Amino acid sequence: MSVAADKDATRAEGGSRRQILDHAARLLRNGGYHQTTLREIAEAVGIRKASLYYHFASKEEIVEAVVNDGVRFVHEGVVAALAETESAAPSVRLEAAIRGHLAALHGHGDYTSASIKVFNFGAVPAPESVRAVRRSYEEVWRRLIAELQQAGALPAERAPDVLRNFLLGALNGSTDWYRPERHDIATLAREFAALISPAGA
């Protein structure tokens, strides 16, 4: 191995896995799956393309990690918000979950936006780990919607999966128009909650 390669390996092994993912998330957010190349990621990190392989076997593995992290950040935010409102009224828990989703969605913008943008991996089916991570997060909302319907905070006759997809689609769609200087997360969460849940439920 050359001296240059040795230096690259040292940098790659010195904790830059997260640095690689940070740059990959930014590039994927802006360019999408097909437009983002391993060469671009390596150049953004400041290492040789070959050094990426110390951490990742392929571009697909990098994309998989970015997508999973994007979902994980939001998942953790919502679970934490629900844990803090465990004994609260259903409408309060709904608003807290929405606020947790929005805060994580926009607090980790490169990862979450990349996750939304490249979920289908181009023409390649999403890896099982990506589908499993997303299913795990969706299950949080399935349980919450069941709780809210049972409590009368959401109409019992509405299909739970439709409600979940509608709400998550609307929340994720805010990546197109949300600007921190124009919008307050807490206010947006109240507005979203009011749109789908009767006042005072």
Side-chain angles (χ1 to χ4, degrees):
M1 184 180 292
S2 69
V3 173
D6 279 335
K7 288 181 179 178
D8 277 346
T10 299
R11 292 173 69 180
E13 293 167 352
S16 73
R17 177 184 172 89
R18 176 54 62 191
Q19 187 183 14
I20 291 169
L21 292 178
D22 286 348
H23 285 288
R26 176 178 54 79
L27 291 167
L28 288 164
R29 176 185 189 175
N30 294 328
Y33 180 83
H34 292 296
Q35 286 71 34
T36 302
T37 66
L38 286 176
R39 185 177 301 281
E40 286 179 312
I41 295 171
E43 288 176 353
V45 177
I47 60 176
R48 292 171 179 264
K49 178 181 171 182
S51 296
L52 293 174
Y53 295 107
Y54 282 94
H55 287 301
F56 301 98
S58 63
K59 169 185 167 179
E60 288 71 26
E61 193 171 297
I62 294 175
V63 176
E64 181 176 353
V66 168
V67 171
N68 285 344
D69 276 353
V71 177
R72 178 174 58 82
F73 290 141
V74 177
H75 188 161
E76 291 173 352
V78 172
V79 168
L82 289 173
E84 291 174 359
T85 57
E86 189 170 355
S87 302
S91 59
V92 173
R93 284 173 58 72
L94 172 62
E95 184 178 320
I98 292 172
R99 186 172 60 250
H101 184 106
L102 288 172
L105 183 71
H106 299 294
H108 300 278
D110 285 344
Y111 282 87
T112 54
S113 293
S115 180
I116 294 167
K117 189 168 189 175
V118 304
F119 176 72
N120 62 4
F121 279 60
V124 181
E128 175 54 33
S129 80
V130 169
R131 295 195 296 273
V133 167
R134 179 165 288 197
R135 284 196 301 268
S136 180
Y137 179 53
E138 289 175 346
E139 183 60 30
V140 173
W141 283 95
R142 284 193 183 93
R143 292 195 300 268
L144 179 59
I145 287 171
E147 172 191 327
L148 295 170
Q149 287 186 313
Q150 187 174 10
L154 290 176
E157 67 273 17
R158 299 290 183 251
D161 285 346
V162 173
L163 280 172
R164 186 192 74 249
N165 290 331
F166 171 78
L167 181 55
L168 292 180
L171 295 178
N172 290 340
S174 69
T175 57
D176 292 331
W177 51 261
Y178 171 83
R179 299 293 181 273
E181 66 275 11
R182 296 182 186 175
H183 305 286
D184 173 70
I185 292 291
T187 302
L188 282 178
R190 275 196 305 275
E191 293 289 338
F192 271 113
L195 286 171
I196 67 167
S197 179

